[in-house]
Amino acid sequence: MRDNHRFRLADGVELVDQQDDSFKMQISIPSDDNGFLGRQCPECALIFRMDAEQYKALPEDLTLWCVYCGHHAEHSEFITEQQRERVMRAVGDFAMQRVSRELDKTFRGLARRSRGGAISFSSKSRPFSPRPLPGIDEEQLIRVRTCASCHNRYAVFSDHRYCPVCGQLPAPSVAFDALLADAARLDALEALAPEVKAPLREQGVFTRNWVDTVENVVGTVEALASALFQATVPNANALLVGKGGIFQRLDPMADLLITAGYPDLRAALGPQTWQRLLETWAARHVFTHNDGIVDEKYLTRVPASSARVGQRLVLTEDMCRRALDDAKSLCQALVDVLR
């Protein structure tokens, strides 16, 4: 406990300056066991964490970005609920002492002025004991990200698109992180205990997850290819006229890159990988547009399939993991080609 400028303050609180109508305090905010500090977006209310030492070294007038929604504002606005509670405890205890001191002065003055009359006042102040500051027990980090641009380290707990310091993440970072997230989701379901798996499997949770994985793979590649193409190709807009959705279709996308003067993705990946990618894209199409029911278009794209028209396509975890590996290779090829 501190006795700072004759005020009793809890450990972690320091009174830096005090005027008649204002005061300035420093209140410690402890980092977690990994040296990370919580930040909470004032817009979407989601929490992320930042390396505490790197955070201290950032400029005082720093504008932070929410890693999830992209809201950006002065960094002090990103205080978490638990941190705010800690601050308000310190400020409240200090304010109580100031009020008590002013009341003591008032009563002493009244007592002196009433000695010759019929009314007298007396007051007795009790020593004030500040309450200990509440600790910080927020969600702990699972995996640390390092921004490729500013090299600041941070941790997130959901899908994200921004670095807290420099804003919008590069498209490749977003794509590769999305593929890792899909792989982590497969791992999480596979790691469940058998008695937990059984009802989930019966309710179609595993099947739905595999379908989502295939759809996410196509969406991730589409977003990356579109972003890289428009950022790299000088006449991108002219080449894209009348070609809506071209980055959802593998062969047309590869042909577009050739037209723009870039190498053939098919040659970069090899025929086997490219064929597996075509099959993944065909599977995504029937699930997105036909509830997984096989049609003639699917069989044209996947001639080796044993399915018949009208049957429902069945996915497996192995198919999804191969699709993720192939998509990583395709994303890397896009990055290499569209330098």
Side-chain angles (χ1 to χ4, degrees):
M1 185 185 303
R2 297 172 182 269
D3 189 353
N4 200 336
H5 296 276
R6 295 177 291 114
F7 288 94
R8 296 168 68 84
L9 306 175
D11 291 338
V13 183
E14 182 178 357
L15 185 60
V16 177
D17 185 35
Q18 181 186 191
Q19 305 297 329
D20 290 339
D21 58 351
S22 66
F23 63 91
K24 182 178 181 181
M25 305 176 75
Q26 285 186 349
I27 303 164
S28 67
I29 302 295
S31 55
D32 62 22
D33 294 339
N34 297 286
F36 277 69
L37 178 74
R39 300 281 79 186
Q40 185 171 16
C41 175
E43 180 70 19
C44 69
L46 296 179
I47 289 180
F48 56 96
R49 305 186 73 77
M50 296 179 65
D51 184 293
E53 289 302 317
Q54 289 183 328
Y55 187 79
K56 290 178 184 177
L58 293 170
E60 281 293 326
D61 60 350
L62 172 69
T63 296
L64 276 187
W65 295 72
C66 172
V67 297
Y68 309 109
C69 72
H71 175 78
H72 53 286
E74 204 276 329
H75 71 95
S76 63
E77 294 189 24
F78 285 79
I79 186 172
T80 70
E81 291 180 7
Q82 291 188 25
Q83 291 166 358
R84 183 177 290 105
E85 180 183 353
R86 184 177 173 90
V87 169
M88 295 308 296
R89 171 75 60 83
V91 172
D93 282 356
F94 174 72
M96 286 180 65
Q97 293 181 75
R98 286 192 64 167
V99 170
S100 177
R101 187 163 298 182
E102 292 302 319
L103 287 174
D104 285 345
K105 292 179 182 178
T106 300
F107 280 119
R108 283 198 296 270
L110 287 172
R112 284 194 294 270
R113 290 194 294 273
S114 64
R115 286 177 181 172
I119 301 175
S120 64
F121 291 88
S122 65
S123 66
K124 183 178 180 180
S125 60
R126 297 179 179 178
F128 181 85
S129 296
R131 297 165 293 175
L133 297 183
I136 305 295
D137 184 23
E138 296 166 342
E139 188 171 5
Q140 298 298 302
L141 59 84
I142 298 173
R143 184 163 66 93
V144 176
R145 270 82 167 175
T146 301
C147 178
S149 300
C150 68
H151 306 294
N152 276 281
R153 303 197 310 155
Y154 62 97
V156 300
F157 304 98
S158 184
D159 195 23
H160 77 295
R161 293 291 183 272
Y162 303 88
C163 163
V165 177
C166 58
Q168 181 71 52
L169 289 171
S173 296
V174 173
F176 288 116
D177 199 68
L179 295 176
L180 286 173
D182 276 307
R185 195 170 61 221
L186 292 175
D187 293 339
L189 281 177
E190 187 57 33
L192 294 174
E195 62 272 19
V196 177
K197 280 184 180 180
L200 293 178
R201 194 181 301 278
E202 187 276 331
Q203 293 170 23
V205 173
F206 282 79
T207 302
R208 184 65 254 177
N209 186 45
W210 297 335
V211 172
D212 289 345
T213 298
V214 168
E215 292 179 338
N216 291 344
V217 160
V218 176
T220 297
V221 171
E222 177 188 11
L224 175 62
S226 177
L228 290 176
F229 189 84
Q230 295 188 61
T232 306
V233 179
N235 58 335
N237 290 335
L239 291 173
L240 291 174
V241 171
K243 295 182 173 64
I246 192 169
F247 296 109
Q248 289 183 359
R249 295 170 284 141
L250 289 176
D251 281 319
M253 177 178 70
D255 292 338
L256 175 66
L257 294 185
I258 294 173
T259 301
Y262 294 89
D264 191 343
L265 287 172
R266 290 163 289 213
L269 291 170
Q272 291 184 337
T273 300
W274 192 258
Q275 180 57 39
R276 288 197 303 270
L277 286 166
L278 289 173
E279 293 173 5
T280 297
W281 260 243
R284 176 262 177 191
H285 187 272
V286 295
F287 277 106
T288 300
H289 300 288
N290 203 28
D291 191 32
I293 304 301
V294 174
D295 54 16
E296 291 289 354
K297 184 180 291 186
Y298 175 82
L299 294 178
T300 300
R301 294 174 177 174
V302 190
S305 174
S306 60
R308 296 181 179 179
V309 172
Q311 290 182 341
R312 196 164 192 268
L313 192 63
V314 175
L315 297 178
T316 67
E317 181 181 344
D318 287 342
M319 293 169 63
C320 290
R321 292 193 182 276
R322 282 197 302 271
L324 286 169
D325 289 339
D326 291 339
K328 291 175 187 175
S329 298
L330 176 54
C331 287
Q332 188 60 57
L334 284 164
V335 172
D336 293 340
V337 166
L338 291 168
R339 290 184 184 277

PDB file of all heavy atoms in Angstrom, residues 6-28:
ATOM      1  N   ARG A   6       0.088  11.936   0.747  1.00  0.00           N
ATOM      2  CA  ARG A   6      -0.813  11.821   1.886  1.00  0.00           C
ATOM      3  C   ARG A   6      -2.132  11.123   1.556  1.00  0.00           C
ATOM      4  O   ARG A   6      -3.068  11.163   2.338  1.00  0.00           O
ATOM      5  CB  ARG A   6      -1.077  13.198   2.511  1.00  0.00           C
ATOM      6  CG  ARG A   6       0.184  13.812   3.108  1.00  0.00           C
ATOM      7  CD  ARG A   6      -0.056  15.206   3.653  1.00  0.00           C
ATOM      8  NE  ARG A   6      -0.323  16.156   2.576  1.00  0.00           N
ATOM      9  CZ  ARG A   6      -1.489  16.762   2.423  1.00  0.00           C
ATOM     10  NH1 ARG A   6      -2.481  16.513   3.250  1.00  0.00           N
ATOM     11  NH2 ARG A   6      -1.667  17.644   1.457  1.00  0.00           N
ATOM     12  N   PHE A   7      -2.209  10.498   0.409  1.00  0.00           N
ATOM     13  CA  PHE A   7      -3.345   9.642   0.087  1.00  0.00           C
ATOM     14  C   PHE A   7      -2.870   8.193   0.157  1.00  0.00           C
ATOM     15  O   PHE A   7      -1.747   7.867  -0.235  1.00  0.00           O
ATOM     16  CB  PHE A   7      -3.881   9.939  -1.309  1.00  0.00           C
ATOM     17  CG  PHE A   7      -4.619  11.246  -1.411  1.00  0.00           C
ATOM     18  CD1 PHE A   7      -3.976  12.399  -1.809  1.00  0.00           C
ATOM     19  CD2 PHE A   7      -5.969  11.306  -1.078  1.00  0.00           C
ATOM     20  CE1 PHE A   7      -4.656  13.603  -1.897  1.00  0.00           C
ATOM     21  CE2 PHE A   7      -6.661  12.512  -1.169  1.00  0.00           C
ATOM     22  CZ  PHE A   7      -6.000  13.662  -1.574  1.00  0.00           C
ATOM     23  N   ARG A   8      -3.725   7.328   0.649  1.00  0.00           N
ATOM     24  CA  ARG A   8      -3.368   5.912   0.749  1.00  0.00           C
ATOM     25  C   ARG A   8      -3.845   5.212  -0.529  1.00  0.00           C
ATOM     26  O   ARG A   8      -5.050   5.210  -0.835  1.00  0.00           O
ATOM     27  CB  ARG A   8      -4.003   5.304   1.987  1.00  0.00           C
ATOM     28  CG  ARG A   8      -3.456   5.927   3.288  1.00  0.00           C
ATOM     29  CD  ARG A   8      -4.290   5.539   4.490  1.00  0.00           C
ATOM     30  NE  ARG A   8      -4.169   4.128   4.811  1.00  0.00           N
ATOM     31  CZ  ARG A   8      -3.182   3.598   5.544  1.00  0.00           C
ATOM     32  NH1 ARG A   8      -2.201   4.382   6.007  1.00  0.00           N
ATOM     33  NH2 ARG A   8      -3.162   2.323   5.822  1.00  0.00           N
ATOM     34  N   LEU A   9      -2.893   4.637  -1.240  1.00  0.00           N
ATOM     35  CA  LEU A   9      -3.184   4.048  -2.547  1.00  0.00           C
ATOM     36  C   LEU A   9      -2.822   2.568  -2.545  1.00  0.00           C
ATOM     37  O   LEU A   9      -1.866   2.149  -1.893  1.00  0.00           O
ATOM     38  CB  LEU A   9      -2.398   4.767  -3.647  1.00  0.00           C
ATOM     39  CG  LEU A   9      -2.567   6.292  -3.717  1.00  0.00           C
ATOM     40  CD1 LEU A   9      -1.632   6.877  -4.768  1.00  0.00           C
ATOM     41  CD2 LEU A   9      -4.017   6.650  -4.032  1.00  0.00           C
ATOM     42  N   ALA A  10      -3.585   1.788  -3.290  1.00  0.00           N
ATOM     43  CA  ALA A  10      -3.321   0.353  -3.400  1.00  0.00           C
ATOM     44  C   ALA A  10      -2.030   0.118  -4.174  1.00  0.00           C
ATOM     45  O   ALA A  10      -1.568   0.967  -4.941  1.00  0.00           O
ATOM     46  CB  ALA A  10      -4.489  -0.341  -4.101  1.00  0.00           C
ATOM     47  N   ASP A  11      -1.443  -1.043  -3.972  1.00  0.00           N
ATOM     48  CA  ASP A  11      -0.265  -1.422  -4.750  1.00  0.00           C
ATOM     49  C   ASP A  11      -0.623  -1.410  -6.234  1.00  0.00           C
ATOM     50  O   ASP A  11      -1.670  -1.920  -6.639  1.00  0.00           O
ATOM     51  CB  ASP A  11       0.214  -2.815  -4.351  1.00  0.00           C
ATOM     52  CG  ASP A  11       0.809  -2.833  -2.944  1.00  0.00           C
ATOM     53  OD1 ASP A  11       1.225  -1.759  -2.470  1.00  0.00           O
ATOM     54  OD2 ASP A  11       0.845  -3.920  -2.342  1.00  0.00           O
ATOM     55  N   GLY A  12       0.247  -0.814  -7.020  1.00  0.00           N
ATOM     56  CA  GLY A  12      -0.016  -0.703  -8.450  1.00  0.00           C
ATOM     57  C   GLY A  12      -0.575   0.640  -8.866  1.00  0.00           C
ATOM     58  O   GLY A  12      -0.830   0.868 -10.048  1.00  0.00           O
ATOM     59  N   VAL A  13      -0.775   1.546  -7.881  1.00  0.00           N
ATOM     60  CA  VAL A  13      -1.333   2.868  -8.169  1.00  0.00           C
ATOM     61  C   VAL A  13      -0.348   3.938  -7.723  1.00  0.00           C
ATOM     62  O   VAL A  13       0.213   3.858  -6.622  1.00  0.00           O
ATOM     63  CB  VAL A  13      -2.682   3.087  -7.455  1.00  0.00           C
ATOM     64  CG1 VAL A  13      -3.268   4.446  -7.835  1.00  0.00           C
ATOM     65  CG2 VAL A  13      -3.648   1.964  -7.790  1.00  0.00           C
ATOM     66  N   GLU A  14      -0.134   4.928  -8.551  1.00  0.00           N
ATOM     67  CA  GLU A  14       0.744   6.045  -8.203  1.00  0.00           C
ATOM     68  C   GLU A  14       0.083   7.353  -8.614  1.00  0.00           C
ATOM     69  O   GLU A  14      -0.410   7.482  -9.739  1.00  0.00           O
ATOM     70  CB  GLU A  14       2.101   5.913  -8.899  1.00  0.00           C
ATOM     71  CG  GLU A  14       3.074   7.025  -8.539  1.00  0.00           C
ATOM     72  CD  GLU A  14       4.422   6.849  -9.199  1.00  0.00           C
ATOM     73  OE1 GLU A  14       4.612   5.830  -9.896  1.00  0.00           O
ATOM     74  OE2 GLU A  14       5.284   7.733  -9.025  1.00  0.00           O
ATOM     75  N   LEU A  15       0.043   8.303  -7.680  1.00  0.00           N
ATOM     76  CA  LEU A  15      -0.487   9.633  -7.968  1.00  0.00           C
ATOM     77  C   LEU A  15       0.642  10.480  -8.532  1.00  0.00           C
ATOM     78  O   LEU A  15       1.590  10.818  -7.838  1.00  0.00           O
ATOM     79  CB  LEU A  15      -1.049  10.267  -6.697  1.00  0.00           C
ATOM     80  CG  LEU A  15      -1.747  11.619  -6.846  1.00  0.00           C
ATOM     81  CD1 LEU A  15      -2.941  11.504  -7.778  1.00  0.00           C
ATOM     82  CD2 LEU A  15      -2.167  12.148  -5.484  1.00  0.00           C
ATOM     83  N   VAL A  16       0.559  10.810  -9.803  1.00  0.00           N
ATOM     84  CA  VAL A  16       1.635  11.521 -10.494  1.00  0.00           C
ATOM     85  C   VAL A  16       1.511  13.027 -10.305  1.00  0.00           C
ATOM     86  O   VAL A  16       2.493  13.731 -10.102  1.00  0.00           O
ATOM     87  CB  VAL A  16       1.623  11.166 -11.997  1.00  0.00           C
ATOM     88  CG1 VAL A  16       2.702  11.949 -12.742  1.00  0.00           C
ATOM     89  CG2 VAL A  16       1.823   9.672 -12.187  1.00  0.00           C
ATOM     90  N   ASP A  17       0.286  13.551 -10.345  1.00  0.00           N
ATOM     91  CA  ASP A  17       0.087  14.998 -10.238  1.00  0.00           C
ATOM     92  C   ASP A  17      -1.303  15.257  -9.677  1.00  0.00           C
ATOM     93  O   ASP A  17      -2.247  14.499  -9.934  1.00  0.00           O
ATOM     94  CB  ASP A  17       0.240  15.648 -11.613  1.00  0.00           C
ATOM     95  CG  ASP A  17       0.165  17.171 -11.528  1.00  0.00           C
ATOM     96  OD1 ASP A  17       0.637  17.729 -10.523  1.00  0.00           O
ATOM     97  OD2 ASP A  17      -0.399  17.791 -12.456  1.00  0.00           O
ATOM     98  N   GLN A  18      -1.437  16.338  -8.906  1.00  0.00           N
ATOM     99  CA  GLN A  18      -2.727  16.694  -8.333  1.00  0.00           C
ATOM    100  C   GLN A  18      -2.886  18.205  -8.300  1.00  0.00           C
ATOM    101  O   GLN A  18      -2.012  18.919  -7.810  1.00  0.00           O
ATOM    102  CB  GLN A  18      -2.878  16.137  -6.914  1.00  0.00           C
ATOM    103  CG  GLN A  18      -4.223  16.469  -6.290  1.00  0.00           C
ATOM    104  CD  GLN A  18      -4.292  16.047  -4.836  1.00  0.00           C
ATOM    105  OE1 GLN A  18      -5.367  16.066  -4.257  1.00  0.00           O
ATOM    106  NE2 GLN A  18      -3.180  15.690  -4.237  1.00  0.00           N
ATOM    107  N   GLN A  19      -3.981  18.681  -8.860  1.00  0.00           N
ATOM    108  CA  GLN A  19      -4.346  20.090  -8.801  1.00  0.00           C
ATOM    109  C   GLN A  19      -5.666  20.197  -8.062  1.00  0.00           C
ATOM    110  O   GLN A  19      -6.268  19.197  -7.664  1.00  0.00           O
ATOM    111  CB  GLN A  19      -4.464  20.672 -10.220  1.00  0.00           C
ATOM    112  CG  GLN A  19      -3.216  20.492 -11.081  1.00  0.00           C
ATOM    113  CD  GLN A  19      -2.000  21.215 -10.540  1.00  0.00           C
ATOM    114  OE1 GLN A  19      -2.144  22.260  -9.904  1.00  0.00           O
ATOM    115  NE2 GLN A  19      -0.817  20.657 -10.774  1.00  0.00           N
ATOM    116  N   ASP A  20      -6.148  21.423  -7.868  1.00  0.00           N
ATOM    117  CA  ASP A  20      -7.413  21.606  -7.148  1.00  0.00           C
ATOM    118  C   ASP A  20      -8.578  20.889  -7.825  1.00  0.00           C
ATOM    119  O   ASP A  20      -9.463  20.348  -7.167  1.00  0.00           O
ATOM    120  CB  ASP A  20      -7.732  23.101  -7.014  1.00  0.00           C
ATOM    121  CG  ASP A  20      -6.779  23.788  -6.037  1.00  0.00           C
ATOM    122  OD1 ASP A  20      -6.173  23.086  -5.209  1.00  0.00           O
ATOM    123  OD2 ASP A  20      -6.641  25.024  -6.136  1.00  0.00           O
ATOM    124  N   ASP A  21      -8.583  20.922  -9.155  1.00  0.00           N
ATOM    125  CA  ASP A  21      -9.723  20.361  -9.883  1.00  0.00           C
ATOM    126  C   ASP A  21      -9.351  19.195 -10.788  1.00  0.00           C
ATOM    127  O   ASP A  21     -10.131  18.793 -11.640  1.00  0.00           O
ATOM    128  CB  ASP A  21     -10.407  21.455 -10.706  1.00  0.00           C
ATOM    129  CG  ASP A  21      -9.437  22.108 -11.685  1.00  0.00           C
ATOM    130  OD1 ASP A  21      -8.220  21.826 -11.601  1.00  0.00           O
ATOM    131  OD2 ASP A  21      -9.893  22.906 -12.535  1.00  0.00           O
ATOM    132  N   SER A  22      -8.153  18.668 -10.650  1.00  0.00           N
ATOM    133  CA  SER A  22      -7.744  17.565 -11.517  1.00  0.00           C
ATOM    134  C   SER A  22      -6.645  16.759 -10.833  1.00  0.00           C
ATOM    135  O   SER A  22      -5.998  17.228  -9.887  1.00  0.00           O
ATOM    136  CB  SER A  22      -7.256  18.086 -12.871  1.00  0.00           C
ATOM    137  OG  SER A  22      -6.072  18.846 -12.712  1.00  0.00           O
ATOM    138  N   PHE A  23      -6.446  15.569 -11.339  1.00  0.00           N
ATOM    139  CA  PHE A  23      -5.348  14.733 -10.847  1.00  0.00           C
ATOM    140  C   PHE A  23      -4.942  13.762 -11.947  1.00  0.00           C
ATOM    141  O   PHE A  23      -5.707  13.503 -12.887  1.00  0.00           O
ATOM    142  CB  PHE A  23      -5.750  13.979  -9.573  1.00  0.00           C
ATOM    143  CG  PHE A  23      -6.879  13.000  -9.769  1.00  0.00           C
ATOM    144  CD1 PHE A  23      -6.632  11.676 -10.106  1.00  0.00           C
ATOM    145  CD2 PHE A  23      -8.202  13.399  -9.608  1.00  0.00           C
ATOM    146  CE1 PHE A  23      -7.670  10.776 -10.271  1.00  0.00           C
ATOM    147  CE2 PHE A  23      -9.253  12.505  -9.776  1.00  0.00           C
ATOM    148  CZ  PHE A  23      -8.973  11.182 -10.105  1.00  0.00           C
ATOM    149  N   LYS A  24      -3.747  13.234 -11.830  1.00  0.00           N
ATOM    150  CA  LYS A  24      -3.239  12.286 -12.808  1.00  0.00           C
ATOM    151  C   LYS A  24      -2.666  11.091 -12.059  1.00  0.00           C
ATOM    152  O   LYS A  24      -1.857  11.256 -11.134  1.00  0.00           O
ATOM    153  CB  LYS A  24      -2.154  12.924 -13.686  1.00  0.00           C
ATOM    154  CG  LYS A  24      -1.597  12.000 -14.765  1.00  0.00           C
ATOM    155  CD  LYS A  24      -0.573  12.713 -15.626  1.00  0.00           C
ATOM    156  CE  LYS A  24      -0.036  11.793 -16.710  1.00  0.00           C
ATOM    157  NZ  LYS A  24       0.993  12.474 -17.545  1.00  0.00           N
ATOM    158  N   MET A  25      -3.111   9.909 -12.444  1.00  0.00           N
ATOM    159  CA  MET A  25      -2.665   8.684 -11.784  1.00  0.00           C
ATOM    160  C   MET A  25      -2.064   7.718 -12.792  1.00  0.00           C
ATOM    161  O   MET A  25      -2.434   7.731 -13.968  1.00  0.00           O
ATOM    162  CB  MET A  25      -3.844   7.990 -11.082  1.00  0.00           C
ATOM    163  CG  MET A  25      -4.598   8.835 -10.100  1.00  0.00           C
ATOM    164  SD  MET A  25      -6.026   7.951  -9.426  1.00  0.00           S
ATOM    165  CE  MET A  25      -5.204   6.821  -8.310  1.00  0.00           C
ATOM    166  N   GLN A  26      -1.148   6.901 -12.328  1.00  0.00           N
ATOM    167  CA  GLN A  26      -0.649   5.779 -13.113  1.00  0.00           C
ATOM    168  C   GLN A  26      -1.113   4.497 -12.433  1.00  0.00           C
ATOM    169  O   GLN A  26      -0.874   4.307 -11.231  1.00  0.00           O
ATOM    170  CB  GLN A  26       0.875   5.804 -13.212  1.00  0.00           C
ATOM    171  CG  GLN A  26       1.404   6.861 -14.165  1.00  0.00           C
ATOM    172  CD  GLN A  26       2.906   6.765 -14.340  1.00  0.00           C
ATOM    173  OE1 GLN A  26       3.596   6.056 -13.619  1.00  0.00           O
ATOM    174  NE2 GLN A  26       3.430   7.495 -15.319  1.00  0.00           N
ATOM    175  N   ILE A  27      -1.793   3.651 -13.200  1.00  0.00           N
ATOM    176  CA  ILE A  27      -2.358   2.411 -12.661  1.00  0.00           C
ATOM    177  C   ILE A  27      -1.788   1.250 -13.468  1.00  0.00           C
ATOM    178  O   ILE A  27      -1.955   1.196 -14.693  1.00  0.00           O
ATOM    179  CB  ILE A  27      -3.891   2.428 -12.749  1.00  0.00           C
ATOM    180  CG1 ILE A  27      -4.434   3.661 -12.009  1.00  0.00           C
ATOM    181  CG2 ILE A  27      -4.482   1.144 -12.183  1.00  0.00           C
ATOM    182  CD1 ILE A  27      -5.866   3.980 -12.341  1.00  0.00           C
ATOM    183  N   SER A  28      -1.116   0.356 -12.817  1.00  0.00           N
ATOM    184  CA  SER A  28      -0.479  -0.753 -13.530  1.00  0.00           C
ATOM    185  C   SER A  28      -1.540  -1.699 -14.098  1.00  0.00           C
ATOM    186  O   SER A  28      -2.558  -1.967 -13.459  1.00  0.00           O
ATOM    187  CB  SER A  28       0.448  -1.516 -12.588  1.00  0.00           C
ATOM    188  OG  SER A  28      -0.296  -2.166 -11.577  1.00  0.00           O
TER     189      SER A  28
END
